[in-house]
């Protein structure tokens, strides 16, 4: 209804053009903020009454109407129109139609500029909690797998070349560490923006005798923003959140990349469950890791969301500008994408089977215990650079003669360095190589089990 009276109608002679109404509207996406908008309005109007800016009876009437609007919106009983422009105006229109003049008192000491700053904070506070719980679910799944696979030895890679044997559990817990930094980043971001913006009004505050402390209390904000201009201009927290989300997506996409590679016939390290793969429309034999590929692909969207917001903010003059309305879609997209990917990835990894025999066999090749021989010599006081060279020659000899380190006789070892003892045969075993790395952060079974116990204790304490 383009001809419907706008709240700013007093100053205008002509109605908004139809296509402008559509062009400027954000209702089609910001409607998902309705419950937060109503929550904020209830807190605001309660404060207004507490400060006698409006009468208690009026506030009561407004709160009752807002609660019924909330119910109706929950049930999908209210149709939104672009003429409403945004969720704030849609709710206000509904309020005024239910309460008459009284409803018009809600917006005292408030602007949509501080209102949207509030709504997004309330929304993101709750979505961060959802994402944190999804992260936590994934981390718990990784611990379960790490315990189940504690005996599985796999080749660790650098430069995509076989490097040294490691426990599969060590690999899985590497991601546990990444996701735990991700959770810290999100909590840290949440704490920084958990600040009440209401009261900043359009940009300069209000001449009405508000009590921001009360509003903060109602809405559970431990802090109140300290500068009204900063408050309506600031979207740092949205950029920070999407950055933290981008890193989560990057971690997921690296994990997915390994799974995709490992599920190939060439590797055969894992079998992703049928439920999380799809077939080919032409090649009957194919089983494609599409879910993992899509998660990898969706990391690009979230990076895009980040760059949209960063570009939006660059050079934006103080304070609020309508450009800022463009922050919502990237934010919502990042929230939805990261949440969905975390949940699906967790289910997929839970259903993934690891082929420990294939992994063990792969770890046995490629001279993956060569460094252990070098370190064996260091223990016999050979300078590391020299021992590196000796072992390099041994490897070259084996390659030339097409044999592996365990096939080389003690005598042959001693030709390269006479100090080799019979125990060298022990040193080149995968189990020995893995289990000798028992310092903090090492891949030895004892070290990995120690870390699992630490993690379990930490989550038990929570
Ligand atoms: N829809 C707007 C946004 O998302 C709300 C604030 C509008 N304020 C204004 N003065 N037009 O940013």
């Amino acid at each position: 209804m383009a001809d419907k009276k706008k709240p700013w109608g007093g100053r205008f002679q002509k109605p908004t053009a139809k296509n402008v109404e559509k062009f400027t509207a954000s209702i089609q996406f910001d409607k998902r903020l309705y419950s937060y908008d109503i929550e904020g309005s209830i807190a605001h109007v309660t404060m207004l009454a507490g400060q006698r800016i409006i009468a208690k009876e009026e506030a009561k009437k407004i709160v009752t109407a807002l609660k019924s609007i909330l119910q109706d919106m929950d049930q999908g009983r209210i149709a939104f129109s672009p003429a409403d422009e945004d969720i704030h105006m849609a709710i206000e229109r509904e309020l005024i139609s239910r309460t008459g003049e009284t409803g018009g008192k809600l917006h005292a000491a408030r602007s949509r500029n501080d209102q949207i700053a509030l709504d997004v904070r309330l929304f993101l506070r709750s979505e961060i909690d959802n994402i944190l719980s999804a992260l936590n679910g994934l981390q718990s799944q990784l611990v379960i797998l790490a315990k189940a696979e504690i005996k599985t030895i796999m080749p660790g890679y650098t430069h995509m070349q076989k490097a040294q044997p490691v426990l599969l559990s060590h690999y899985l817990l590497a991601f546990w560490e990444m996701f735990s930094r991700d959770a810290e980043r999100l909590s840290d971001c949440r704490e920084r923006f958990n600040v009440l913006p209401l009261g900043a009004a359009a940009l300069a505050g209000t001449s009405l005798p508000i009590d921001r402390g009360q509003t903060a209390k109602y809405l559970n904000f431990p802090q109140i923003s300290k500068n009204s201009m900063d408050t309506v201009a600031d979207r740092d927290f949205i950029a920070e959140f999407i950055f933290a989300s981008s890193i989560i997506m990057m971690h997921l996409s690296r994990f997915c990349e390994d799974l995709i590679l490992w599920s190939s016939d060439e590797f055969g390290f894992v079998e992703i469950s049928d439920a999380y793969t799809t077939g080919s429309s032409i090649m009957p034999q194919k089983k494609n890791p599409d879910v993992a590929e899509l998660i990898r692909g969706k990391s690009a969207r979230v990076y895009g969301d980040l760059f949209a917001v960063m570009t939006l903010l660059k050079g934006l003059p103080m304070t609020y500008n309508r450009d800022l309305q463009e922050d919502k879609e990237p934010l919502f997209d990042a929230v939805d994408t990261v949440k969905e990917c975390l949940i699906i990835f967790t289910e997929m990894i839970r259903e993934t089977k690891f082929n420990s025999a294939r992994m063990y066999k792969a770890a046995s090749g490629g001279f993956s215990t060569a460094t252990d021989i070098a370190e064996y010599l260091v223990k016999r006081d050979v300078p590391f650079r020299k021992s590196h060279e000796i072992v390099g020659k041994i490897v070259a000899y084996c390659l030339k003669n097409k044999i592996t380190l365990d096939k080389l006789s003690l005598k042959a070892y001693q030709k390269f360095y006479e100090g080799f003892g019979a125990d060298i045969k022990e040193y080149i075993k995968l189990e020995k190589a893995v289990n000798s790395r028992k310092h903090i952060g090492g891949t030895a079974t004892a070290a990995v089990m120690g870390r699992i116990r630490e993690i379990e204790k930490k989550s038990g304490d929570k």
Side-chain angles (χ1 to χ4, degrees):
M1 279 180 277
D3 52 348
K4 186 163 41 186
K5 213 169 161 308
K6 300 280 192 232
W8 56 75
R11 192 211 177 283
F12 286 71
Q13 244 93 93
K14 280 189 187 172
T16 319
K18 263 244 184 295
N19 57 355
V20 169
E21 234 170 31
K22 186 167 168 281
F23 183 70
T24 55
S26 54
I27 187 77
Q28 63 280 17
F29 51 84
D30 68 16
K31 62 182 177 207
R32 73 187 275 180
L33 296 173
Y34 73 88
S35 64
Y36 305 106
D37 197 78
I38 291 174
E39 186 187 348
S41 290
I42 291 176
H44 179 67
V45 80
T46 309
M47 180 279 290
L48 289 179
Q51 294 300 101
R52 305 192 188 291
I53 298 169
I54 70 167
K56 288 234 152 50
E57 278 317 303
E58 292 170 324
K60 233 175 120 184
K61 197 169 160 192
I62 292 175
V63 169
T64 309
L66 285 171
K67 286 185 177 162
S68 74
I69 295 172
L70 177 64
Q71 272 185 1
D72 289 344
M73 289 192 168
D74 280 342
Q75 308 291 323
R77 283 198 290 255
I78 295 181
F80 296 106
S81 115
D84 287 326
E85 195 178 300
D86 58 25
I87 188 61
H88 322 302
M89 278 165 52
I91 291 170
E92 196 177 340
R93 168 185 51 79
E94 200 54 44
L95 176 68
I96 292 173
S97 86
R98 291 180 191 204
T99 60
E101 285 258 287
T102 312
K105 298 202 164 186
L106 165 66
H107 210 56
R110 191 176 73 171
S111 152
R112 282 185 292 155
N113 298 353
D114 59 348
Q115 198 176 347
I116 189 62
L118 173 75
D119 292 7
V120 172
R121 279 173 162 81
L122 294 178
F123 163 79
L124 201 49
R125 247 181 11 185
S126 119
E127 289 296 353
I128 285 184
D129 293 343
N130 293 335
I131 296 170
L132 283 172
S133 99
L135 269 173
N136 198 273
L138 171 51
Q139 288 183 289
S140 309
Q141 188 54 48
L142 291 176
V143 172
I144 292 171
L145 288 172
K147 280 164 87 173
E149 298 291 342
I150 194 69
K151 291 203 162 82
T152 306
I153 295 179
M154 62 170 277
Y157 294 84
T158 61
H159 311 271
M160 223 28 242
Q161 305 287 321
K162 251 172 234 173
Q164 292 178 320
V166 291
L167 290 185
L168 171 59
S169 310
H170 198 48
Y171 170 93
L172 294 168
L173 292 183
F175 281 97
W176 189 97
E177 304 291 344
M178 294 179 225
F179 294 126
S180 113
R181 289 196 295 275
D182 290 334
E184 275 172 28
R185 255 186 294 273
L186 285 177
S187 307
D188 178 54
C189 165
R190 188 188 190 285
E191 198 179 318
R192 206 175 353 269
F193 76 72
N194 199 12
V195 173
L196 175 82
L198 279 192
L203 80 161
T206 172
S207 62
L208 294 166
I210 55 170
D211 181 349
R212 301 186 71 200
Q214 278 308 318
T215 322
K217 231 190 195 154
Y218 297 140
L219 292 169
N220 215 0
F221 282 106
Q223 289 194 68
I224 300 169
S225 71
K226 301 289 190 284
N227 182 303
S228 61
M229 295 178 81
D230 171 43
T231 305
V232 295
D234 170 36
R235 296 292 184 276
D236 296 0
F237 64 103
I238 294 183
E240 268 190 52
F241 166 78
I242 307 180
F243 173 69
S245 301
S246 297
I247 299 201
I248 296 175
M249 292 305 297
M250 179 265 282
H251 289 154
L252 285 176
S253 91
R254 293 181 74 170
F255 209 153
C256 285
E257 170 63 15
D258 279 342
L259 293 178
I260 292 164
L261 207 60
W262 291 1
S263 63
S264 67
D265 189 43
E266 286 76 1
F267 271 85
F269 285 3
V270 297
E271 165 130 28
I272 304 175
S273 151
D274 285 0
Y276 296 89
T277 49
T278 55
S280 157
S281 57
I282 172 166
M283 297 166 283
Q285 86 284 9
K286 289 282 293 271
K287 172 166 152 177
N288 298 328
D290 293 36
V291 171
E293 289 171 303
L294 272 170
I295 294 174
R296 189 177 60 182
K298 280 175 192 289
S299 59
R301 298 171 70 101
V302 179
Y303 288 15
D305 295 332
L306 175 64
F307 277 88
V309 168
M310 291 302 286
T311 314
L312 186 66
L313 297 175
K314 181 196 168 294
L316 201 66
M318 285 284 268
T319 52
Y320 178 84
N321 300 270
R322 191 60 178 275
D323 315 42
L324 290 177
Q325 179 166 294
E326 289 289 312
D327 65 355
K328 245 70 82 213
E329 284 164 295
L331 171 65
F332 295 161
D333 184 65
V335 164
D336 295 340
T337 307
V338 78
K339 217 166 48 179
E340 192 182 20
C341 288
L342 280 169
I343 290 168
I344 294 210
F345 184 88
T346 305
E347 292 170 9
M348 179 176 70
I349 194 81
R350 190 183 54 216
E351 304 286 313
T352 296
K353 297 265 166 296
F354 295 92
N355 187 338
S356 53
R358 269 300 272 261
M359 287 183 161
Y360 190 89
K361 190 156 177 270
S364 313
F367 303 94
S368 68
T369 52
T371 313
D372 296 82
I373 309 178
E375 288 179 356
Y376 171 97
L377 294 177
V378 168
K379 286 181 199 148
R380 277 144 194 83
D381 210 28
V382 180
F384 183 74
R385 278 293 153 238
K386 192 169 168 206
S387 69
H388 187 287
E389 195 182 336
I390 295 168
V391 183
K393 284 180 178 153
I394 297 176
V395 170
Y397 174 86
C398 289
L399 281 170
K400 200 168 149 214
N401 294 283
K402 296 196 169 46
I403 53 171
T404 48
L405 291 170
D406 56 319
K407 296 286 175 318
L408 205 61
S409 68
L410 178 58
K411 271 223 159 65
Y413 272 105
Q414 284 168 340
K415 268 198 205 123
F416 292 94
Y417 181 75
E418 57 192 14
F420 275 117
D423 54 349
I424 187 59
K425 292 284 185 180
E426 206 36 48
Y427 271 79
I428 55 176
K429 288 200 176 129
L430 296 183
E431 290 75 6
K432 172 82 176 168
V434 164
N435 285 320
S436 56
R437 288 161 168 79
K438 48 182 184 280
H439 51 78
I440 293 173
T443 189
T445 312
V448 174
M449 277 312 296
R451 184 64 186 137
I452 290 175
R453 273 191 292 272
E454 249 173 42
I455 289 170
E456 287 185 328
K457 186 164 182 298
K458 223 170 87 185
S459 45
D461 291 347
K462 263 198 229 150

